[in-house]
Coordinates of all heavy atoms in Angstrom, one line a residue:
R63 N -158.4 -63.9 -170.7 CA -159.2 -63.5 -171.9 C -159.4 -64.6 -172.9 O -158.6 -65.6 -172.9 CB -158.6 -62.3 -172.6 CG -158.3 -61.1 -171.8 CD -157.9 -60.0 -172.6 NE -159.0 -59.5 -173.4 CZ -159.7 -58.4 -173.1 NH1 -159.4 -57.7 -172.0 NH2 -160.7 -58.1 -173.8
A334 N -151.1 -50.0 -172.4 CA -152.1 -50.1 -173.5 C -153.3 -50.8 -173.0 O -153.2 -51.7 -172.2 CB -151.4 -50.8 -174.7
C335 N -154.4 -50.4 -173.6 CA -155.7 -51.1 -173.2 C -155.8 -52.5 -174.0 O -154.8 -52.9 -174.6 CB -156.9 -50.2 -173.5 SG -157.3 -50.1 -175.2
A336 N -157.0 -53.1 -173.9 CA -157.1 -54.4 -174.5 C -157.1 -54.4 -176.0 O -156.9 -55.4 -176.7 CB -158.4 -55.0 -174.0
G337 N -157.3 -53.2 -176.6 CA -157.2 -53.1 -178.0 C -158.2 -54.0 -178.8 O -159.3 -53.9 -178.5
L338 N -157.7 -54.8 -179.7 CA -158.6 -55.5 -180.6 C -159.4 -56.6 -179.8 O -160.3 -57.1 -180.4 CB -157.8 -56.2 -181.7 CG -157.2 -55.2 -182.7 CD1 -156.5 -56.0 -183.9 CD2 -158.2 -54.2 -183.3
G339 N -159.0 -56.8 -178.5 CA -159.8 -57.7 -177.7 C -161.1 -57.1 -177.3 O -162.0 -57.7 -176.8
C340 N -161.3 -55.8 -177.6 CA -162.5 -55.0 -177.2 C -163.2 -54.5 -178.5 O -162.6 -54.0 -179.4 CB -162.0 -53.8 -176.3 SG -163.3 -52.7 -175.9
D341 N -164.5 -54.6 -178.4 CA -165.3 -54.2 -179.6 C -165.1 -52.7 -179.9 O -165.3 -52.4 -181.1 CB -166.8 -54.4 -179.2 CG -167.3 -55.8 -179.4 OD1 -166.8 -56.4 -180.4 OD2 -168.1 -56.3 -178.6
A342 N -164.8 -51.9 -178.9 CA -164.8 -50.5 -179.2 C -163.5 -50.0 -179.9 O -163.4 -48.8 -180.3 CB -165.0 -49.7 -177.9
S343 N -162.5 -50.8 -180.0 CA -161.2 -50.3 -180.4 C -161.1 -50.0 -181.8 O -161.5 -50.8 -182.7 CB -160.1 -51.4 -180.0 OG -158.9 -50.8 -180.2
F344 N -160.5 -48.9 -182.1 CA -160.2 -48.4 -183.5 C -158.9 -48.9 -184.0 O -158.5 -48.6 -185.2 CB -160.3 -46.9 -183.6 CG -161.7 -46.4 -183.5 CD1 -162.1 -45.8 -182.3 CD2 -162.6 -46.5 -184.5 CE1 -163.4 -45.3 -182.2 CE2 -163.9 -46.0 -184.4 CZ -164.3 -45.4 -183.2
A345 N -158.0 -49.5 -183.1 CA -156.7 -49.8 -183.6 C -156.1 -51.0 -182.8 O -156.6 -51.3 -181.7 CB -155.8 -48.6 -183.3
V347 N -153.9 -51.5 -180.6 CA -153.0 -50.7 -179.7 C -151.9 -51.5 -179.1 O -150.8 -51.0 -178.9 CB -153.8 -50.0 -178.6 CG1 -154.8 -49.0 -179.2 CG2 -154.5 -51.0 -177.7
I371 N -151.7 -45.8 -174.3 CA -152.2 -46.0 -175.7 C -153.6 -46.6 -175.5 O -153.7 -47.7 -175.0 CB -151.3 -46.9 -176.6 CG1 -149.9 -46.3 -176.5 CG2 -151.8 -46.9 -178.0 CD1 -148.9 -47.1 -177.4
S372 N -154.6 -45.9 -176.0 CA -156.0 -46.5 -175.8 C -156.7 -46.6 -177.2 O -156.4 -45.8 -178.1 CB -156.8 -45.5 -175.0 OG -156.3 -45.4 -173.7
G373 N -157.5 -47.6 -177.2 CA -158.2 -47.9 -178.5 C -159.4 -47.0 -178.8 O -159.9 -47.0 -179.9
C374 N -159.9 -46.3 -177.8 CA -161.0 -45.3 -178.0 C -161.0 -44.3 -176.9 O -160.2 -44.3 -176.0 CB -162.3 -46.1 -178.1 SG -163.0 -46.5 -176.5
E375 N -161.9 -43.4 -177.0 CA -162.0 -42.2 -176.1 C -162.2 -42.6 -174.6 O -161.9 -41.8 -173.7 CB -163.2 -41.3 -176.5 CG -163.0 -40.3 -177.6 CD -161.9 -39.2 -177.1 OE1 -161.8 -39.0 -175.9 OE2 -161.3 -38.7 -178.0
K376 N -162.6 -43.8 -174.4 CA -162.9 -44.2 -173.0 C -161.6 -44.3 -172.2 O -161.5 -44.1 -171.0 CB -163.6 -45.6 -173.0 CG -164.3 -45.8 -171.6 CD -165.1 -47.1 -171.7 CE -165.5 -47.4 -170.2 NZ -165.8 -48.8 -170.1
Q377 N -160.5 -44.5 -172.9 CA -159.1 -44.4 -172.3 C -158.9 -45.3 -171.1 O -158.5 -44.9 -170.0 CB -158.8 -43.0 -171.9 CG -158.7 -42.1 -173.1 CD -158.3 -40.7 -172.7 OE1 -157.2 -40.5 -172.3 NE2 -159.2 -39.7 -172.8
C378 N -159.2 -46.6 -171.3 CA -159.0 -47.5 -170.1 C -157.6 -47.6 -169.7 O -157.3 -48.0 -168.5 CB -159.5 -48.9 -170.5 SG -161.3 -48.9 -170.9
A379 N -156.6 -47.3 -170.6 CA -155.2 -47.4 -170.2 C -154.7 -46.1 -169.5 O -153.6 -46.1 -169.1 CB -154.4 -47.6 -171.4
M380 N -155.6 -45.2 -169.3 CA -155.2 -43.8 -168.9 C -154.7 -43.8 -167.4 O -155.3 -44.4 -166.5 CB -156.4 -42.9 -169.0 CG -156.1 -41.5 -168.7 SD -154.9 -40.8 -169.8 CE -154.6 -39.2 -169.1
I389 N -154.8 -41.8 -178.4 CA -156.1 -42.3 -178.4 C -156.6 -42.6 -179.8 O -156.6 -41.7 -180.7 CB -157.1 -41.3 -177.7 CG1 -156.6 -41.0 -176.3 CG2 -158.5 -41.9 -177.7 CD1 -157.3 -39.8 -175.7
A390 N -156.9 -43.8 -180.1 CA -157.3 -44.2 -181.5 C -158.6 -43.7 -181.8 O -159.5 -43.6 -181.0 CB -157.2 -45.7 -181.6
Ligands
LIG1 S1 -160.1 -47.8 -174.2 FE1 -161.8 -48.3 -175.5 S2 -161.0 -49.9 -176.8 FE2 -159.6 -49.8 -175.1 S3 -160.4 -51.3 -173.7 FE3 -161.3 -49.3 -173.1 S4 -163.3 -49.3 -174.2 FE4 -162.0 -50.9 -175.2

Side-chain angles (χ1 to χ4, degrees):
R63 306 188 69 99
C335 76
L338 292 185
C340 172
D341 278 324
S343 188
F344 288 104
V347 295
I371 310 185
S372 297
C374 79
E375 274 295 334
K376 199 174 168 201
Q377 297 183 67
C378 298
M380 184 62 185
I389 304 169

